[in-house]
Amino acid sequence: MMKKTLKLPASALGLIFLFYACRTDEMANSEKSLENEKIEAFKRFKNLRY
């Protein structure tokens, strides 16, 4: 009986950690792509000046 009552909270915690990890990974990827976009925009601007 004890194992059965612990399965639900353990499963819920597992799902919470999974979603948190996915969200954190998505935030890191979006920050990196934003940084790359800024660098590319600066390169285009620099090329236009010369």
Side-chain angles (χ1 to χ4, degrees):
M1 185 70 177
M2 185 68 159
K3 285 184 182 180
K4 208 174 210 181
T5 57
L6 289 178
K7 271 188 178 179
L8 183 61
S11 298
L13 279 175
L15 283 174
I16 290 170
F17 286 129
L18 178 69
F19 289 135
Y20 179 75
C22 291
R23 191 187 82 188
T24 303
D25 188 42
E26 179 63 30
M27 287 172 35
N29 288 341
S30 66
E31 286 178 9
K32 189 174 271 190
S33 67
L34 181 61
E35 183 178 322
N36 289 339
E37 287 177 24
K38 287 180 181 179
I39 291 170
E40 291 300 319
F42 178 74
K43 287 178 182 177
R44 286 193 301 269
F45 175 72
K46 189 175 180 183
N47 287 336
L48 288 175
R49 287 181 53 202
Y50 295 110

